[in-house]
Amino acid sequence: MANHSQFGFQDASSPIMEELVEFHDHALMVALAICSLVLYLLTLMLLEKLSSSTVDAQEIELIWTILPAIVLILLALPSLQILYMMDEIDEPDLTLKAIGRQWYWTYEYTDFKDLSFDSYMIPTTDLLPGHFRLLEVDHRLVVPTETPIRIIVTASDVLHSWAVPTLGVKTDAIPGRLNQTSFTATRPGIFYGQCSEICGANHSYMPIVVESTPLPYFESWSSLMSL
């Protein structure tokens, strides 16, 4: 859960999000090095006396052509690696389906018989102590911890987007189309997200709450919900 005055990302709760945070830090260090070099050169030019002599600068031209290419490669390789990791879905242990509607989510556990429910935002007047305004729902999406999960995302009316930042997941929900993504929650907890696609008047009232629990608790919960 994000805090006020927080400058960084939320704590990563999936391997993909850990890789994204690491790549973010890597890119920032590269940008910091570039800015420091440019600032140093600008300061040097301002302080040094200008010379009108013509100098053969083939070596300098070679350096400022090759160096940016090397920097781009250092950024592109880890970026492509993470991109392929996010698209890779390899034998999930559990498959879920999220259907975006105006303005709530419907979840279906396709590996269980008759296990589906709607998830509505809890109005401010009905919130319990400790609940977050505009983020709490009446039915959470419960998943087992440390289990590869595939989620199929679609919509029944307009464009939506199923996004949970701490899990590193953001997938568009498009009517008539099935998109899929995967995640693995590495620790128990409650993770909050919201619809990230402007979908109408109540777009800001479509929260997403994923509750990661140990496998025995998940099995008990699924048995109760299937009754």
Side-chain angles (χ1 to χ4, degrees), residues 210-227:
V210 178
E211 183 176 353
S212 175
T213 63
L215 183 59
Y217 179 87
F218 171 77
E219 293 175 344
S220 300
W221 172 86
S222 59
S223 299
L224 291 175
M225 292 292 292
S226 300
L227 294 178

Side-chain angles (χ1 to χ4, degrees), residues 141-153:
L141 180 66
V142 181
V143 298
T145 306
E146 297 182 349
T147 301
I149 296 171
R150 173 176 58 189
I151 181 163
I152 300 173
V153 183

Side-chain angles (χ1 to χ4, degrees), residues 173-186:
I174 304 173
R177 177 175 176 175
L178 296 177
N179 290 331
Q180 66 175 356
T181 186
S182 64
F183 65 89
T184 301
T186 55

Side-chain angles (χ1 to χ4, degrees), residues 13 37 82 118 138 146 153 183 202 216:
S13 300
L37 178 60
I82 296 174
D118 297 329
D138 55 357
E146 297 182 349
V153 183
F183 65 89
N202 292 332

Side-chain angles (χ1 to χ4, degrees), residues 53-196:
S53 60
T54 303
V55 179
D56 187 9
Q58 293 183 358
E59 294 83 1
I60 297 297
E61 292 179 0
L62 187 63
I63 290 174
W64 71 40
T65 301
I66 295 178
L67 190 59
I70 295 175
V71 171
L72 290 177
I73 292 175
L74 292 177
L75 291 175
L77 291 181
S79 176
L80 291 174
Q81 181 183 14
I82 296 174
L83 185 62
Y84 279 105
M85 289 174 59
M86 295 176 68
D87 286 338
E88 185 69 21
I89 300 176
D90 185 21
E91 297 183 359
D93 292 339
L94 180 65
T95 300
L96 311 176
K97 185 177 182 181
I99 305 173
R101 309 181 190 274
Q102 290 183 313
W103 285 272
Y104 62 96
W105 294 96
T106 297
Y107 296 111
E108 298 178 0
Y109 287 73
T110 57
D111 295 332
F112 295 86
K113 184 180 179 180
D114 298 330
L115 180 52
S116 64
F117 53 84
D118 297 329
S119 179
Y120 290 87
M121 186 195 74
I122 298 178
T124 304
T125 55
D126 298 336
L127 287 176
L128 298 176
H131 283 180
F132 297 100
R133 177 178 173 270
L134 301 182
L135 287 177
E136 198 60 60
V137 296
D138 55 357
H139 292 94
R140 296 171 175 172
L141 180 66
V142 181
V143 298
T145 306
E146 297 182 349
T147 301
I149 296 171
R150 173 176 58 189
I151 181 163
I152 300 173
V153 183
T154 187
S156 64
D157 36 47
V158 298
L159 292 177
H160 300 279
S161 184
W162 199 84
V164 182
T166 189
L167 295 175
V169 176
K170 183 180 185 297
T171 304
D172 289 339
I174 304 173
R177 177 175 176 175
L178 296 177
N179 290 331
Q180 66 175 356
T181 186
S182 64
F183 65 89
T184 301
T186 55
R187 59 186 175 89
I190 300 174
F191 314 124
Y192 294 90
Q194 288 179 303
C195 176
S196 297

